Amino acid sequence: RTDMPEAAAPARKTVDPVIAMIVGWAVPGAGHLLVGQVKKGLFFFFLLMLTFGAGLLLADFRTVRASDNPFYFVGQVGSGLNLLLTYLCTNLSPKGRMPQVYFEPGLLYMSVSGLLNILVVMSILPPLEVKPGETESAAKPAEGSVKAG
């Protein structure tokens, strides 16, 4: 063992969790990048983008509107700007590249991607520290977690 001083740990940026959650909803994984969790952020970005992209391919580059199928629509809204970009870049008419039988599974993939993104966004929140005899509503965020700034 050497007597060299240990390198100081880089200071972690203090980011408002609400801002990180909004950014994370808009671009999957970006909220984790914002709070300094780079590996998690990149993992979630690629996982959710690939899932949404696979669903978009299976659904023949079509999405649904709330009036068509509210369940799939709610799931897709969780994908953030992916859904908005899809609406802007494609119209809702089939391209004819994929058989119609793949449309429903494609919508399911896109919806699952959106619902998973909501869970990923919620994981940005700092864990609560509950002391014996204290209710969860009165609990305070754990030390060392993302603090509101």
Side-chain angles (χ1 to χ4, degrees):
R1 184 181 146 130
T2 63
D3 291 331
M4 297 185 79
E6 292 181 29
R12 212 169 158 185
K13 289 191 297 184
T14 303
V15 178
D16 185 358
V18 175
I19 299 297
M21 290 175 71
I22 292 170
V23 169
W25 168 79
V27 178
H32 284 86
L33 292 173
L34 195 61
V35 297
Q37 299 175 342
V38 176
K39 287 181 184 177
K40 261 187 180 179
L42 292 175
F43 173 76
F44 288 137
F45 176 79
F46 287 113
L47 176 75
L48 296 174
M49 294 300 273
L50 286 173
T51 305
F52 189 86
L56 196 58
L57 181 66
L58 287 172
D60 205 17
F61 295 90
R62 291 179 290 165
T63 58
V64 293
R65 296 196 168 130
S67 59
D68 298 334
N69 190 324
F71 299 109
Y72 283 137
F73 181 76
V74 168
Q76 288 178 357
V77 166
S79 295
L81 294 180
N82 288 342
L83 184 63
L84 178 63
L85 291 174
T86 302
Y87 273 133
L88 294 176
C89 295
T90 63
N91 57 21
L92 298 176
S93 62
K95 305 289 181 235
R97 296 180 208 138
M98 296 296 285
Q100 181 65 26
V101 71
Y102 294 127
F103 180 64
E104 289 284 329
L107 292 180
L108 183 62
Y109 271 56
M110 288 187 283
S111 295
V112 166
S113 172
L115 294 173
L116 285 174
N117 191 41
I118 292 170
L119 291 176
V120 166
V121 164
M122 290 172 55
S123 75
I124 294 171
L125 286 175
L128 294 178
E129 199 173 83
V130 181
K131 297 176 183 167
E134 186 179 52
T135 62
E136 284 191 30
S137 61
K140 303 214 179 340
E143 291 293 320
S145 59
V146 179
K147 297 177 184 172

